[in-house]
Amino acid sequence: MSIIDDISKIKSNFKSDLDLLNLKKINSDDIKYKYLGRKGLVSNLYSLLSSVDNAEKPLVGKKINQLKLDISDKLNSLSKTRKLDTNKSLDLDYSLPGISYNPGSIHPLTLIIQEIKDIFNKIGFSNIYGSEVDTDYYNFEALNIPKHHPARDMQDTFYLNNHSLLRTHTSSSQVHFMENNNPPIRILSPGRVYRNEDISVRSYCLFHQIEGLYVDKNVSFSDLKGTLEYFAKQFFGPKTKIRFRPSYFPFTEPSAEMDVYWGLNSDSDYRITKGTGWLEILGCGMVNPQVFKSVDYDVKKWNGYAFGLGIERIAMLKYGIDDIRLLYDGNINFLGQFK
Ligand code: PHE
């Protein structure tokens, strides 16, 4: 058999060895050793060269060189791609759990406040913000609650000193606004309020209210009812039932409280509505002329209504939260549910 036949036989062997390599039946080091090693098939060809006719030597030598080059090129390029493959699979292991970037979420109370602001802003109310630290005058006196008035007992106050306190309701911002602005007025004032109450599932030392104030000429109680009914239907749905119960606040006369019928579909509905299905969500009334007097408004010319919405109860009912303290714990697992 001529050396030329040997060359082509080695070529085809090499091809079938590559197939075996693909099937992972042999490894590339073995192939390299078998063909290019010191005692490998290609080296063996060189030793056979001495028996070739002198005239054919250059041609045969060239062929052997070419074969050696082809084989080593092929093995080199294979090992390169294999390295790439292993790198790739290291970088992208699809079975690993992903890295989670906690994107944060909006607090449920903020969600509710935003929704309520949107509803009232559509009918011309604008937002103002009062301060949480205020004086006895703005929180009580100007709102027709003089010292020793029994209504002060309704609101256990955190006093900071003889005249500063943490506001017990957002009604204090009504007075500030009216002192600095003339009617007509249509404002909404959301924020935190503080009361020194025992902390429990149902009450906390701070909570949120949204105050509404409307002052104009010839404002009637039915304007107030109409506005609050519009709000309830927008917020709780078009079929929502509401009811007004007479109540008492020194700064409104007459006064009322508004309940929304929520129903009794879950345990938390029972607990939060005390088994009635009705939830009191706000206090309201026609602004007492005494309040207008304290801000120097002409009580013959102007009248108006005010309301104060409690946010926590609405949030608890809407989201089925049965412990008010969850709203202040800052527990990410809890808060992350509200998107
Ligand atoms: N400020 C009252 C409260 O905290 C609510 C209220 C606001 C009532 C405005 C009437 C008018 O309970």
Side-chain angles (χ1 to χ4, degrees):
M1 205 167 46
S2 80
I3 191 164
I4 297 292
D5 290 336
D6 284 345
I7 290 175
S8 52
K9 208 171 151 207
I10 290 174
K11 254 190 201 166
S12 75
N13 275 347
F14 180 67
K15 266 194 193 136
S16 43
D17 279 348
L18 285 183
D19 290 341
L20 292 177
L21 179 70
N22 269 338
L23 297 170
K24 303 210 162 87
K25 295 212 164 136
I26 48 175
N27 68 46
S28 60
D29 282 347
D30 289 345
I31 298 184
K32 196 170 176 181
Y33 183 75
K34 177 174 172 186
Y35 292 91
L36 305 177
R38 211 154 47 84
K39 290 182 179 166
L41 294 174
V42 177
S43 317
N44 191 41
L45 286 177
Y46 285 112
S47 55
L48 292 179
L49 200 57
S50 54
S51 61
V52 173
D53 278 354
N54 275 344
E56 286 175 20
K57 260 184 194 153
L59 184 76
V60 176
K62 219 174 162 186
K63 286 208 157 160
I64 300 174
N65 283 341
Q66 190 58 49
L67 177 68
K68 187 182 175 185
L69 210 68
D70 287 349
I71 290 178
S72 65
D73 278 356
K74 187 71 197 169
L75 290 177
N76 279 341
S77 75
L78 277 180
S79 82
K80 258 186 217 152
T81 51
R82 208 131 17 85
K83 262 186 202 139
L84 280 179
D85 280 352
T86 31
N87 281 343
K88 226 193 257 163
S89 58
L90 276 181
D91 279 346
L92 297 171
D93 180 347
Y94 296 107
S95 66
L96 284 174
I99 302 164
S100 75
Y101 300 95
N102 192 336
S105 56
I106 299 178
H107 195 283
L109 293 173
T110 310
L111 288 173
I112 302 269
I113 291 171
Q114 190 52 55
E115 208 177 316
I116 295 175
K117 284 199 287 195
D118 288 347
I119 291 170
F120 280 102
N121 292 167
K122 263 190 218 143
I123 54 168
F125 283 76
S126 43
N127 308 321
I128 62 135
Y129 298 89
S131 93
E132 292 172 28
V133 174
D134 213 327
T135 62
D136 190 277
Y137 175 77
Y138 288 100
N139 196 79
F140 294 122
E141 302 263 335
L143 288 165
N144 195 33
I145 319 175
K147 288 221 163 51
H148 311 298
H149 191 287
R152 290 205 182 194
D153 297 342
M154 285 163 42
Q155 310 187 345
D156 297 304
T157 311
F158 286 114
Y159 281 92
L160 302 173
N161 54 40
N162 276 343
H163 70 285
S164 297
L165 45 76
L166 294 177
R167 66 176 176 190
T168 60
H169 53 183
T170 43
S171 300
S172 54
S173 57
Q174 288 186 28
V175 184
H176 285 284
F177 190 81
M178 286 192 282
E179 269 186 353
N180 298 312
N181 297 273
N182 290 320
I185 287 171
R186 247 180 286 178
I187 50 152
L188 216 57
S189 181
R192 289 180 169 204
V193 302
Y194 300 81
R195 290 187 199 175
N196 191 0
E197 283 173 16
D198 288 339
I199 292 171
S200 72
V201 189
R202 298 173 55 88
S203 67
Y204 201 67
C205 49
L206 76 91
F207 56 98
H208 294 74
Q209 290 187 330
I210 297 184
E211 193 81 7
L213 175 67
Y214 186 105
V215 183
D216 210 327
K217 289 174 186 151
N218 304 317
V219 182
S220 68
F221 198 87
S222 46
D223 292 331
L224 169 61
K225 281 177 83 173
T227 305
L228 294 178
E229 187 171 353
Y230 152 82
F231 157 71
K233 298 213 152 136
Q234 290 280 312
F235 188 87
F236 295 101
K239 293 206 178 106
T240 305
K241 277 193 280 179
I242 54 169
R243 70 181 183 193
F244 287 85
R245 284 177 294 102
S247 185
Y248 172 76
F249 300 102
F251 35 93
T252 49
E253 180 59 35
S255 303
E257 279 168 323
M258 188 177 100
D259 298 343
V260 169
Y261 190 73
W262 180 263
L264 292 166
N265 301 313
S266 72
D267 282 357
S268 72
D269 293 352
Y270 266 93
R271 235 168 319 187
I272 296 164
T273 68
K274 293 186 186 149
T276 63
W278 289 96
L279 184 77
E280 182 219 314
I281 61 162
L282 60 85
C284 62
M286 302 307 290
V287 179
N288 191 321
Q290 288 303 324
V291 178
F292 286 148
K293 278 184 195 154
S294 62
V295 294
D296 276 338
Y297 278 8
D298 182 349
V299 293
K300 287 200 196 83
K301 198 166 162 195
W302 304 109
N303 69 338
Y305 61 73
F307 56 87
L309 272 151
I311 305 305
E312 271 71 0
R313 279 205 233 151
I314 296 177
M316 289 169 78
L317 208 59
K318 176 158 181 175
Y319 296 122
I321 300 168
D322 45 26
D323 186 340
I324 195 171
R325 292 167 294 190
L326 285 167
L327 294 168
Y328 308 102
D329 279 352
N331 180 336
I332 303 251
N333 288 335
F334 168 75
L335 295 174
Q337 303 173 77
F338 306 94
K339 296 266 153 95

